[in-house]
């Protein structure tokens, strides 16, 4: 029975992320989330990567804070990335920076499977992944002053004005991140939606504990250490702009 549960882990994750929630009297509990639940079918390779290697790479939402030194087996700085997509750029960064530990959160289960598969291919060990709502992970599991940085690359733009409240970058989100960052910890964001870039800049600039590293006090050129994704390359070919923001906790 235990082995069967392990073999079905990937499929269980796919279903559990999309589980409906109800109040005590049976009414559907509708949460305003900052992401779309795209729980598509996993390929056989993605399933196999998750089922066979979750014990190496996967972390679960829990009632207590994570113990990062115990999880990673060292005291290296921890960088959190929210919404890593298919995970290629996250794995590439982890491989390029072995002196850092990387923690990625993604609710799209095929992306989690693809990330683990690529991490195995690249022999990356300084990476852990979570398939859960990032807001709950931040609240329940990330200790105070435990993160060297936060990465948020190309989050869902919710481009319609009436949906802007669903964007993850809001003052309350930044306020929840601030205590988790160490002194001089960074917040690095990137988007290809100018309107969202402007909102990000406004929200980050209004946080008194942050300092913009831009010489013009707005955006920075794409730094070499942020890998160019296929999504971003396609945008460049289509003439889309990309805006990077890099702030430091004072």
């Amino acid at each position: 029975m235990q082995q069967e549960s392990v073999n079905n882990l990937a499929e269980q994750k796919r279903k559990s992320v999309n589980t409906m929630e109800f109040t005590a009297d049976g009414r559907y509990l509708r949460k305003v989330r900052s992401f779309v639940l795209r729980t598509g079918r996993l390929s056989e390779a993605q399933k196999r990567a998750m089922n066979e290697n979750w014990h190496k790479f996967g972390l679960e939402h829990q009632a207590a804070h994570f113990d990062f030194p115990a999880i990673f087996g060292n005291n290296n700085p921890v960088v959190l990335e929210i919404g890593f997509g298919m995970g290629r750029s996250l794995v590439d960064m982890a491989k390029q920076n072995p002196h850092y530990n990387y923690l990625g959160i993604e609710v799209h289960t095929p992306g989690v499977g693809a990330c683990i598969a690529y991490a195995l291919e690249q022999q990356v060990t300084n990476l852990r992944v979570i398939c859960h709502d990032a807001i709950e992970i931040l609240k329940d599991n990330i200790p105070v002053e435990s993160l060297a940085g936060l990465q948020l690359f190309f989050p869902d733009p919710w481009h319609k004005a009436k949906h802007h409240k669903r964007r993850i970058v809001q003052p309350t989100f930044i306020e929840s991140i601030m205590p988790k960052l160490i002194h001089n910890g960074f917040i690095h964001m990137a988007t290809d939606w100018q309107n969202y870039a402007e909102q990000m800049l406004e929200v980050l600039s209004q946080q008194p504990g942050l300092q913009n590293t831009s010489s013009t006090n707005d955006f920075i050129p794409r730094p070499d250490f942020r890998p160019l994704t296929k999504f971003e390359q396609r945008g460049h070919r289509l003439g889309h702009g990309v805006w990077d923001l890099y702030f430091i906790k004072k």
Side-chain angles (χ1 to χ4, degrees):
M1 181 66 70
Q2 185 175 6
Q3 185 61 41
E4 180 182 353
S5 177
V6 170
N7 291 339
N8 291 328
L9 182 144
E11 196 63 22
Q12 291 167 1
K13 284 288 180 188
R14 186 182 72 84
K15 293 177 180 178
S16 65
V17 173
N18 200 22
T19 300
M20 291 185 180
E21 298 176 59
F22 297 86
T23 60
D25 58 357
R27 290 180 292 109
Y28 175 56
L29 180 61
R30 182 176 181 273
K31 290 185 177 181
V32 176
R33 296 187 183 275
S34 61
F35 55 85
V36 178
L37 288 167
R38 298 172 292 117
T39 53
R41 294 182 65 86
L42 291 94
S43 70
E44 288 304 315
Q46 291 164 355
K47 283 184 183 179
R48 186 165 57 251
M50 287 187 70
N51 290 339
E52 296 178 1
N53 299 280
W54 188 254
H55 66 288
K56 298 178 186 176
F57 292 96
L59 294 179
E60 301 286 354
H61 176 263
Q62 60 186 40
H65 284 161
F66 292 139
D67 182 346
F68 288 134
I71 288 169
F72 289 101
N74 58 57
N75 290 303
N76 292 344
V78 177
V79 175
L80 170 65
E81 180 166 331
I82 295 177
F84 56 75
M86 301 304 281
R88 292 192 72 87
S89 64
L90 176 59
V91 172
D92 287 341
M93 291 189 79
K95 185 174 183 178
Q96 294 165 14
N97 300 282
H99 53 292
Y100 278 88
N101 295 320
Y102 287 83
L103 176 65
I105 303 177
E106 176 58 63
V107 294
H108 185 221
T109 44
V112 175
C115 181
I116 292 176
Y118 187 49
L120 288 167
E121 176 187 320
Q122 296 299 312
Q123 299 182 333
V124 164
T125 58
N126 58 328
L127 171 66
R128 299 294 183 272
V129 296
I130 303 172
C131 190
H132 197 83
D133 184 348
I135 301 302
E136 292 184 356
I137 294 295
L138 280 169
K139 177 172 65 74
D140 299 335
N141 301 142
I142 305 299
V144 170
E145 296 184 351
S146 66
L147 298 178
L150 168 75
Q151 298 178 169
L152 186 67
F153 301 147
F154 306 101
D156 194 322
W158 293 101
H159 57 278
K160 292 183 180 180
K162 65 180 180 179
H163 291 155
H164 284 184
K165 64 183 178 182
R166 291 180 175 268
R167 290 175 169 175
I168 191 171
V169 182
Q170 308 285 351
T172 52
F173 171 69
I174 301 303
E175 289 166 8
S176 72
I177 286 290
M178 290 298 292
K180 313 297 183 177
L181 292 172
I182 62 174
H183 177 64
N184 288 329
F186 68 85
I187 295 179
H188 184 187
M189 297 183 181
T191 180
D192 61 340
W193 283 80
Q194 184 173 0
N195 174 269
Y196 201 0
E198 292 168 350
Q199 177 178 329
M200 290 175 172
L201 178 61
E202 180 180 1
V203 170
L204 292 171
S205 298
Q206 288 178 351
Q207 173 53 243
L210 291 175
Q211 177 67 49
N212 195 345
T213 64
S214 166
S215 59
T216 53
N217 213 34
D218 48 19
F219 308 103
I220 63 169
R222 183 186 71 85
D224 292 337
F225 58 79
R226 181 173 71 75
L228 193 64
T229 65
K230 289 183 179 179
F231 169 83
E232 191 174 358
Q233 289 172 338
R234 184 175 69 243
H236 283 317
R237 290 196 298 270
L238 296 173
H240 296 171
V242 173
W243 292 264
D244 276 76
L245 305 95
Y246 200 94
F247 282 67
I248 298 292
K249 180 179 177 180
K250 298 176 184 177

